[in-house]
Amino acid sequence: MKGVIVGITGPTVTVDLTELKLYDRVKVGRAGLQGEVVRLARDHAVVQVYEETRGLGVGEPACPLGLPLSVRLGPGLMGQVYDGLQRPLPLMGETTGPFIRQGCELPSLPPGKKWFFTPLKKTGERVEAGEIFGLVRENAIAHSLFATTGGKISRIVQGEMDLQRPVVELEDGSLLYGFQDWPIRAPRPYSRKLPPTSPLITGQRILDFFFPLALGGTAIIPGGFGTGKTILEQAIAKHAAVDVVVYVGCGERGNEMAEMLEGFAALSDPWSGHPLSERTIMVANTSNMSVAAREASIYTAVTMAEYYRDMGCHVLLLADSISRWAEALREVSSALEEMPGEEGYPTYLASRLSGYFSRAGVVETINGKTGSLSMILSVSPPGGDFTEPTTQGCLRASGAFYMLDTHLAHRRHFPAINWVQSYSLYEEDVVRYFTETICPEWAALKKKALALLQKEEKLREVSEIVGAEGLQDEDHLLLRIADELRNRFLCQNSFSEDAFSTPEQTVRLMNLLLDQYEQASRRLAQGEKLDDLLKELR
Ligand SMILES: Nc1ncnc2c1ncn2[C@@H]1O[C@H](COP(=O)(O)OP(=O)(O)OP(=O)(O)O)[C@@H](O)[C@H]1O
Ligand SMILES: [Mg+2]
């Protein structure tokens, strides 16, 4: 069955094909551009095209491919840099030059690369669909290979394997390969969800101490222009204590992504000491790349993240920024002439967002392992207005809120996380965990620190009214310690040695600062002069 293009509106193309299903893949035009069916009618279908539609003409061919838009999952994902359609960008650069050629098709995983395969099944045994039939070592990860169909094994490879030849033959003639294709919009199945209770250590003091995230939790980083979203996302990508990081550069600057790639090549994971690239997969759909592929890119990324979760890994998905995804969704929706909702976004924006967030979590996998998928997504509300639909949709669906504050950023207090407005719903469980495993005083120190910061806020208000002279000596001391706390604890320069802090270092520093405060307060009460005490603190 072949058809032709009958209409083109921006990234959407109308074709005269009828026997299609929603989300089926279609190739359009002589260049063979990839797209996905987003609307069906009796005599035509509308295809959302993932590549630049420039130069495409009415009357050009349209060819259905049957399967929905999928990602190829298998060994070799780690360390790759993909575009939103899982095309490897470095390979594309080598073969077609610095610009993405329309209709370009390249293997997502290196087909000829040899892997050492350890079977977990023997000839004559049964394997079920979704079951792990063997392992391949991919950097530090024991990469599981999952059966795509079930049956009795008639042959299984030992030792060396690649992705071109079958690894298992079943008695009914079906073949199992080292890879599988998975539709990006369908969450991968698991046995059950478990509550997120263990911490995801980010290496950022303010987050780990005040607003901790749990493995399997979700957080958003909303912030106006230039408040430090990208730097914070990248710092977490470098330092988080997880097995796998999937980083999506979604509609942001291409040069930032390029700088990050260069930086990653030289850095190592602070927890394992291995090169960072060995645990990272990047999906780059920067602002100069196709809008519709940007819409798909976050799904491509989350499917890869779920795949590693199913192996029992702790996976962190970072996206910068989800607002650019929402804008892409709006662009496609308006090309489809759908009824616009608030601020022109489609009415289903909030449900799409919550559907996306619900792919995170701690799960017991089908194979009885425990894996987690955590998400930290940055949000760029236009004009820093947090009441806009994307921020609100994210806020309702996520478990932690790390609000970036323009005033703090202007004062070059980085990370500019507002400690009054930010929150984490995982706090209670995670703080209990830290108190039990790292420092018995963790919870108590946190309470004291928060009380101190709140008191500081009130004192600053008072001093604005009555002037600094109206404050008591103990108030001056408190303001001084609060300053130390801001500068030495809450601030963390990502471009210095201080960029990363273990929970032990974090709690030690807090202990030190609060100790200094208590001692100075005691001495002040005993009659020592404020000026002398303040000098000592310097
Ligand atoms: N943790 C940090 N340590 C040191 N400097 C920082 C930190 N975070 C942000 N900055 C400074 O702020 C600048 C802007 O940060 P960044 O590019 O991350 O902002 P953004 O919110 O992503 O901006 P945009 O809205 O344009 O995407 C950086 O170039 C850097 O100078
Ligand atoms: Mg940015």
Side-chain angles (χ1 to χ4, degrees):
M1 181 181 55
K2 265 199 164 180
V4 290
I5 298 175
V6 293
I8 303 166
T9 321
T12 61
V13 168
T14 311
V15 296
D16 68 352
L17 291 164
T18 46
E19 284 170 37
L20 293 171
K21 286 200 264 329
L22 210 55
Y23 297 125
D24 272 0
R25 270 171 66 208
V26 179
K27 274 199 165 179
V28 296
R30 276 188 279 278
L33 311 185
Q34 290 197 50
E36 191 181 36
V37 176
V38 287
R39 183 188 286 165
L40 284 168
R42 198 146 47 91
D43 58 350
H44 69 268
V46 181
V47 177
Q48 169 178 347
V49 180
Y50 291 117
E51 298 182 66
E52 193 54 65
T53 48
R54 198 170 2 119
L56 204 61
V58 169
E60 287 192 37
C63 179
L65 300 175
L67 287 170
L69 190 67
S70 305
V71 278
R72 182 145 292 189
L73 304 169
L77 284 170
M78 220 55 92
Q80 293 272 15
V81 185
Y82 290 119
D83 76 348
L85 303 180
Q86 211 202 4
R87 296 182 293 192
L89 289 172
L91 188 63
M92 205 165 355
E94 280 166 32
T95 45
T96 66
F99 298 103
I100 298 176
R101 210 189 56 217
Q102 284 180 314
C104 170
E105 267 189 81
L106 287 168
S108 302
L109 297 171
K113 183 163 175 177
K114 301 277 183 260
W115 299 94
F116 190 83
F117 174 70
T118 313
L120 296 180
K121 292 273 176 187
K122 291 196 203 70
T123 308
E125 280 182 348
R126 265 197 74 78
V127 62
E128 303 302 329
E131 206 183 344
I132 299 171
F133 62 84
L135 300 172
V136 158
R137 181 137 293 277
E138 185 185 22
N139 307 329
I141 290 168
H143 190 119
S144 310
L145 301 187
F146 299 89
T148 43
T149 176
K152 205 165 167 194
I153 298 173
S154 61
R155 195 182 76 86
I156 185 159
V157 165
Q158 299 272 347
E160 203 171 76
M161 62 155 262
D162 59 37
L163 300 183
Q164 282 163 321
R165 286 166 299 168
V167 186
V168 175
E169 279 173 29
L170 300 179
E171 276 188 355
D172 66 357
S174 330
L175 303 172
L176 303 181
Y177 286 84
F179 66 85
Q180 58 174 304
D181 292 328
W182 193 271
I184 59 170
R185 296 187 196 273
R188 285 176 61 85
Y190 49 81
S191 289
R192 64 189 177 113
K193 272 212 169 159
L194 305 169
T197 48
S198 326
L200 187 157
I201 297 161
T202 61
Q204 297 290 311
R205 282 190 292 270
I206 179 163
L207 298 185
D208 293 341
F209 192 75
F210 288 110
F211 313 108
L213 184 63
L215 286 169
T218 53
I220 57 165
I221 308 179
F225 173 69
T227 46
K229 300 177 288 294
T230 306
I231 303 275
L232 185 56
E233 288 264 331
Q234 294 185 358
I236 298 173
K238 287 176 197 159
H239 304 127
V242 289
D243 304 312
V244 178
V245 172
V246 183
Y247 189 98
V248 201
C250 185
E252 293 288 311
R253 300 172 194 85
N255 62 330
E256 280 178 351
M257 199 79 198
E259 276 167 28
M260 181 181 174
L261 287 173
E262 269 172 38
F264 264 52
L267 293 171
S268 44
D269 171 2
W271 302 94
S272 70
H274 297 297
L276 265 186
S277 56
E278 289 191 1
R279 69 163 204 186
T280 315
I281 308 171
M282 304 241 189
V283 179
N285 214 165
T286 49
S287 50
N288 52 347
M289 292 156 93
S290 143
V291 167
R294 186 192 306 167
E295 197 280 313
S297 67
I298 64 161
Y299 292 99
T300 302
V302 76
T303 311
M304 294 192 280
E306 283 177 345
Y307 177 64
Y308 281 97
R309 173 205 69 187
D310 290 347
M311 298 177 201
C313 293
H314 294 301
V315 187
L316 172 61
L317 182 129
L318 294 153
D320 183 30
S321 99
I322 201 76
S323 299
R324 305 282 168 255
W325 167 83
E327 285 163 13
L329 189 73
R330 174 166 66 182
E331 206 163 306
V332 174
S333 158
S334 79
L336 288 172
E337 294 175 1
E338 289 174 340
M339 171 83 81
E342 218 181 322
E343 295 193 17
Y345 287 104
T347 45
Y348 48 80
L349 171 71
S351 63
R352 282 277 172 96
L353 278 170
S354 61
Y356 191 72
F357 278 97
S358 68
R359 291 178 75 164
V362 188
V363 302
E364 185 186 305
T365 71
I366 293 176
N367 290 282
K369 295 170 184 275
T370 306
S372 72
L373 198 177
S374 320
M375 290 183 186
I376 305 180
L377 314 177
S378 76
V379 189
S380 354
D385 169 18
F386 291 175
T387 60
E388 60 89 41
T390 312
T391 316
Q392 287 299 312
C394 287
L395 203 55
R396 275 196 292 269
S398 65
F401 174 65
Y402 303 148
M403 184 192 135
L404 298 186
D405 188 323
T406 315
H407 297 294
L408 291 176
H410 281 168
R411 274 191 262 142
R412 300 212 57 80
H413 171 118
F414 289 118
I417 299 168
N418 180 308
W419 52 88
V420 181
Q421 311 258 10
S422 300
Y423 64 79
S424 163
L425 300 179
Y426 312 104
E427 198 181 317
E428 206 176 294
D429 286 327
V430 176
V431 167
R432 192 179 315 123
Y433 183 99
F434 278 139
T435 308
E436 283 165 11
T437 58
I438 306 236
C439 169
E441 283 89 45
W442 189 291
L445 287 171
K446 183 177 162 188
K447 230 172 156 179
K448 275 191 208 165
L450 273 179
L452 198 146
L453 287 169
Q454 276 161 3
K455 192 133 186 238
E456 182 215 10
E457 185 100 347
K458 280 208 191 99
L459 284 178
R460 293 216 187 268
E461 278 170 23
V462 173
S463 87
E464 265 171 33
I465 301 165
V466 299
E469 311 80 50
L471 297 182
Q472 311 274 334
D473 278 0
E474 54 264 35
D475 298 340
H476 283 290
L477 185 64
L478 186 139
L479 287 179
R480 186 51 208 287
I481 289 288
D483 264 352
E484 292 283 306
L485 215 142
R486 282 163 182 257
N487 297 333
R488 289 172 57 193
F489 190 91
L490 299 176
C491 281
Q492 203 169 342
N493 189 334
S494 279
F495 305 104
S496 71
E497 293 266 297
D498 190 35
F500 164 70
S501 175
T502 62
E504 288 82 1
Q505 290 167 330
T506 296
V507 77
R508 207 177 309 134
L509 179 60
M510 181 53 88
N511 208 352
L512 184 90
L513 291 169
L514 292 180
D515 237 23
Q516 277 185 346
Y517 176 50
E518 269 169 27
Q519 280 182 31
S521 301
R522 206 172 316 123
R523 285 166 60 191
L524 189 69
Q526 284 163 0
E528 285 193 44
K529 279 222 170 77
L530 176 70
D531 283 349
D532 296 341
L533 292 170
L534 291 183
K535 256 184 227 146
E536 265 183 48
L537 283 172
R538 203 158 284 150

